[in-house]
Amino acid sequence: MSWIYINDHFLEEDKAAVNVNDLAVQRGYGVFDFFRTRDNKPLFLDDYLDRFFNSAKTLFISLPVNREQLKNVIYALIGKNNIPESGIRITATGGYSPDGYTPAQGNLIIQQQPLIPVSEEKKEHGIKIITHEYMRDLPAVKSINYVMGVWLQKQVKEKQADDVLYVKNNLITEFPRSNIFMVNSGGKLLTPANNVLAGITRKKVLALAPEILPVATVDISLHELKNAAEVFMTSTTKRILPVVEMDGIKIGDGRPGAITKALYKLFTQMEERTIK
Amino acid sequence: MSWIYINDHFLEEDKAAVNVNDLAVQRGYGVFDFFRTRDNKPLFLDDYLDRFFNSAKTLFISLPVNREQLKNVIYALIGKNNIPESGIRITATGGYSPDGYTPAQGNLIIQQQPLIPVSEEKKEHGIKIITHEYMRDLPAVKSINYVMGVWLQKQVKEKQADDVLYVKNNLITEFPRSNIFMVNSGGKLLTPANNVLAGITRKKVLALAPEILPVATVDISLHELKNAAEVFMTSTTKRILPVVEMDGIKIGDGRPGAITKALYKLFTQMEERTIK
C-alpha cells in the first residue's frame, strides 16, 4: 500500500480521509493535477505545478503550502513510496467551508500509484472514439468535476469505443482527460486553440512538432476532423496515442499515421533527455 | 455537534469522513438531496426521496439501502439529533471506484443541521439577481457538481446581488440552488419547462397556483423575464422569495408582488397541513 500525503502528514492510503463537510464532497469543488515519474524522477514537474497553482487560484482555493514546500513534499513522497514508474496526483479540495458553499483553504492530498501503461495493442493499432456535444465548465482549469466524463463511459462502452471527444457548436475541443491533434490533408498539424485544458503533453508536442511539419492552434470543425489524414490524442498517461476511427468512420486508412509515430518518437526522446 | 449517518453507522460530525479515493474527491462525482424538518417532521419526504433515488440511478450510483431502510435511518437520525427545525442532506458519493473513474457503490452520508432562515429583510423587500450564460450538466439530476455556482459567488458579491440566474441561448433556466417563476403582464404564472431541476417547492407551487391564476411551464426568454410583472424564486430553504431587481433593472415597481405574497401564504398553509 502506498503512502499518501494529506495536509501536513504522511499516512497509509487506507487512513487518508477528508471530513464529509469538505467542499469536494458537498459541492464537487476542487482542483488537481497529475504527472508521471520515471526512475523516481518527476517529468516536467514545473509545468504541472504552474498549472496546479493556476487552477487553485482561479477557483479561489488557497493552499497550505507554497511551491517550494510542495516540491519538497513531492520528493519526500517519491522517496518514501519508491514506485519508480508512477503517476502522482495532487488534489486541493475546496476545504471546510464555513457556509458549505464558499471556498476555504484547500485540503491538500498527494497520492502516488504505479503507472498503468497503455496497452501495446492500442499503441500499435490506435483507438476508436465517439463524439458528444459538451464543453467543460471553465475549460482552462483542471477542476475535479468529471461528472460528464464519468457519466458518458456507459455510452463509450456500448459503442465499443475507447473515448469520447467533446464537440461544442460544431467545433472540436478535447477528450475528458486528453487533448486532440490532427494532421490535415495539407500536411499541417492542428490542435484546438480555445476551450481546452492546456495539456502538458500538448505543450511539448507543440514545441517539438515544428521540427517535422508546420503547426497551428486554431478552431477546428468536426467536418475538418472527419477529413483528417491523421488524428491522435495526447495526455500524461497516454503520451501520444493514435485515433483511427470516429463515430464509426475510419480516419485516413484506419491505421496510425507516420507523423503520429514520428511525434511519439520525438516525445519519448525528449522524456529520455529530461530524466538524464 | 450533530450526529451524522454514514454507510451503516451514526458518528459524531467531526468523525464522519470518506477516504480520499472516493469518486467525490477524485472526480466530483455524486448526488444528493436536501429537505427540511419542522417540529422534527420531514416535509414532503417522499418527493425528495423520489428525486434522490432517480438522481442516483441516472448517475449509475448504487445505494447500500433501499427506500424503506433509508426512511428508517432518516427518522432515527431525527430522533438522535433532536433539531426540530432543520435541513437534512442525503449524499451518495460515487464511491470507491476500482479504476478511479467508474461509479461504484455510493458512500451514503446523511447530515442534519439547524435551519438558517432567510432574513426578514429579504422576505420583505426581495432580492437582487444577476444573470450568467450557463446550463448545468444533466440538469434533471441533483449532482454534487456546483463548480459554476460556487465560482460565480465572487461576481454575485461584486455586483451586490444575492444570486445568479443561469441563461442558456437566451432562455432562462434556474438558479444554482433554486427555481424561477414569473408572472407575466397577462397575469399568467410561468416557469421554465426545460433544462431545470424539478424542484420540490416548484412542484408544490405548480400544484397550488391554479387556485389563484393560470399556470404554464414553457420556454421563457430573458426578454420576457425582464418585462415580468413579478418574479420569485423557489427552493427548499427559501420557500418562495421575491426577486425585485435583475442585472440592475427593476422588476415591476421594484417591490414584491401581490401574487408572490399570495403564493407564499398558500405554500406555508400547505406546510402547516402537512405536519399536522
Side-chain angles (χ1 to χ4, degrees):
Chain A
M1 195 177 293
S2 322
W3 290 94
I4 285 180
Y5 180 85
I6 176 162
N7 295 323
D8 48 5
H9 311 291
F10 291 96
L11 292 175
E12 286 174 74
E13 186 176 5
D14 62 352
K15 295 189 181 69
V18 292
N19 189 276
V20 295
N21 285 317
D22 189 285
L23 222 50
V25 180
Q26 297 283 312
R27 301 291 177 187
Y29 202 85
V31 294
F32 78 109
D33 226 298
F34 181 85
F35 57 90
R36 281 188 295 134
T37 65
R38 288 191 59 179
D39 285 348
N40 274 325
K41 289 171 195 152
L43 279 167
F44 316 126
L45 181 58
D46 280 305
D47 292 301
Y48 289 97
L49 292 184
D50 285 349
R51 188 171 66 183
F52 177 68
F53 279 96
N54 191 55
S55 293
K57 190 180 167 194
T58 308
L59 289 200
F60 315 116
I61 295 171
S62 61
L63 293 170
V65 291
N66 65 27
R67 190 177 175 112
E68 271 320 293
Q69 291 167 329
L70 181 54
K71 272 192 175 180
N72 290 340
V73 173
I74 288 166
Y75 283 107
L77 189 71
I78 288 171
K80 270 180 96 76
N81 276 329
N82 190 26
I83 310 170
E85 313 294 305
S86 74
I88 295 184
R89 181 185 160 116
I90 325 169
T91 305
T93 66
Y96 300 128
S97 169
D99 61 0
Y101 206 64
T102 312
Q105 179 166 294
N107 284 303
L108 177 69
I109 304 158
I110 313 179
Q111 299 172 265
Q112 186 176 22
Q113 295 287 342
L115 202 69
I116 299 162
V118 176
S119 74
E120 287 305 317
E121 202 270 334
K122 284 182 185 178
K123 271 193 214 169
E124 200 73 27
H125 298 290
I127 62 160
K128 297 175 184 182
I129 65 170
I130 59 170
T131 58
H132 188 80
E133 179 79 15
Y134 181 67
M135 188 178 84
R136 288 192 305 118
D137 302 346
L138 310 169
V141 175
K142 202 164 172 71
S143 93
I144 61 169
N145 169 28
Y146 282 69
V147 172
M148 189 56 77
V150 170
W151 184 76
L152 283 171
Q153 279 187 100
K154 189 162 177 275
Q155 287 178 45
V156 170
K157 280 171 195 160
E158 278 170 3
K159 294 187 178 162
Q160 297 177 294
D162 300 286
D163 212 336
V164 52
L165 177 67
Y166 295 146
V167 178
K168 190 68 185 177
N169 298 331
N170 209 39
L171 297 179
I172 64 168
T173 61
E174 60 188 358
F175 298 98
R177 298 180 285 181
S178 311
N179 290 114
I180 190 161
F181 282 81
M182 64 168 273
V183 180
N184 71 10
S185 57
K188 197 167 182 178
L189 183 68
L190 308 177
T191 194
N194 298 305
N195 298 323
V196 299
L197 187 75
I200 308 307
T201 310
R202 174 180 180 271
K203 180 180 173 181
K204 301 302 172 192
V205 168
L206 287 172
L208 291 167
E211 288 183 31
I212 52 173
L213 79 173
V215 176
T217 61
V218 288
D219 283 344
I220 302 169
S221 71
L222 189 56
H223 178 77
E224 282 175 275
L225 188 71
K226 280 183 181 158
N227 290 288
E230 300 183 25
V231 175
F232 59 87
M233 63 163 55
T234 59
S235 86
T236 298
T237 41
K238 299 189 176 77
R239 298 197 268 195
I240 294 173
L241 192 62
V243 176
V244 295
E245 193 183 301
M246 182 179 53
D247 292 334
I249 298 161
K250 271 187 190 171
I251 291 162
D253 63 359
R255 288 181 301 178
I259 291 164
T260 303
K261 285 177 194 169
L263 287 169
Y264 182 82
K265 196 171 168 193
L266 282 181
F267 182 75
T268 51
Q269 285 167 348
M270 184 194 228
E271 272 192 22
E272 300 295 336
R273 288 195 303 277
T274 305
I275 57 161
K276 256 173 203 158
Chain B
M1 195 175 294
S2 321
W3 291 94
I4 285 180
Y5 181 85
I6 175 162
N7 295 323
D8 49 5
H9 311 291
F10 292 95
L11 292 175
E12 286 175 72
E13 187 176 5
D14 61 353
K15 296 190 181 68
V18 293
N19 189 276
V20 296
N21 285 317
D22 189 285
L23 221 52
V25 179
Q26 298 282 314
R27 300 292 177 188
Y29 201 86
V31 294
F32 77 109
D33 227 297
F34 182 84
F35 58 90
R36 281 189 294 135
T37 65
R38 286 189 62 180
D39 285 349
N40 274 325
K41 290 171 194 154
L43 279 167
F44 316 126
L45 181 58
D46 280 304
D47 292 302
Y48 288 97
L49 293 184
D50 285 348
R51 188 170 67 183
F52 177 67
F53 279 95
N54 191 56
S55 293
K57 190 181 167 193
T58 307
L59 288 200
F60 315 116
I61 294 171
S62 61
L63 294 170
V65 291
N66 65 26
R67 189 177 176 113
E68 271 319 293
Q69 291 166 329
L70 181 54
K71 273 193 173 179
N72 290 340
V73 173
I74 289 166
Y75 283 107
L77 190 71
I78 290 171
K80 270 179 97 75
N81 276 330
N82 190 24
I83 311 170
E85 312 293 305
S86 76
I88 294 183
R89 181 184 160 115
I90 325 170
T91 306
T93 67
Y96 300 129
S97 169
D99 61 359
Y101 206 64
T102 312
Q105 178 167 294
N107 283 303
L108 177 68
I109 303 158
I110 313 178
Q111 298 172 267
Q112 186 177 22
Q113 296 286 340
L115 202 70
I116 298 162
V118 176
S119 74
E120 287 304 317
E121 201 271 336
K122 284 183 183 176
K123 271 194 215 170
E124 199 73 28
H125 298 291
I127 63 161
K128 297 173 184 183
I129 66 170
I130 58 171
T131 57
H132 188 79
E133 180 77 16
Y134 182 66
M135 188 178 84
R136 288 192 304 117
D137 302 345
L138 310 171
V141 175
K142 201 164 173 73
S143 93
I144 61 169
N145 169 27
Y146 281 69
V147 172
M148 190 54 80
V150 170
W151 184 76
L152 283 170
Q153 279 188 97
K154 190 162 177 278
Q155 287 179 46
V156 170
K157 279 171 194 157
E158 278 168 4
K159 294 190 175 157
Q160 297 178 295
D162 300 285
D163 212 335
V164 53
L165 177 66
Y166 294 146
V167 178
K168 190 66 184 178
N169 298 330
N170 209 38
L171 297 179
I172 65 169
T173 60
E174 60 188 358
F175 299 97
R177 298 180 284 182
S178 311
N179 290 113
I180 190 163
F181 281 81
M182 64 169 273
V183 180
N184 71 10
S185 58
K188 198 167 181 177
L189 184 69
L190 307 178
T191 194
N194 298 306
N195 297 323
V196 300
L197 187 75
I200 307 306
T201 310
R202 175 180 179 271
K203 180 181 173 180
K204 301 302 173 192
V205 168
L206 287 172
L208 289 167
E211 287 183 32
I212 52 173
L213 80 172
V215 177
T217 61
V218 288
D219 283 346
I220 302 169
S221 72
L222 189 55
H223 178 78
E224 283 174 275
L225 187 72
K226 279 182 182 157
N227 290 289
E230 300 184 26
V231 174
F232 60 86
M233 63 164 54
T234 59
S235 86
T236 298
T237 41
K238 299 190 178 77
R239 298 197 266 193
I240 293 173
L241 192 63
V243 176
V244 297
E245 195 183 298
M246 182 178 54
D247 291 335
I249 298 160
K250 271 187 192 172
I251 290 163
D253 63 0
R255 288 182 300 178
I259 289 164
T260 304
K261 287 179 194 168
L263 287 170
Y264 182 82
K265 196 171 166 190
L266 282 180
F267 182 74
T268 51
Q269 285 166 349
M270 185 194 227
E271 272 192 23
E272 300 295 336
R273 287 195 303 274
T274 305
I275 59 162
K276 254 171 207 162

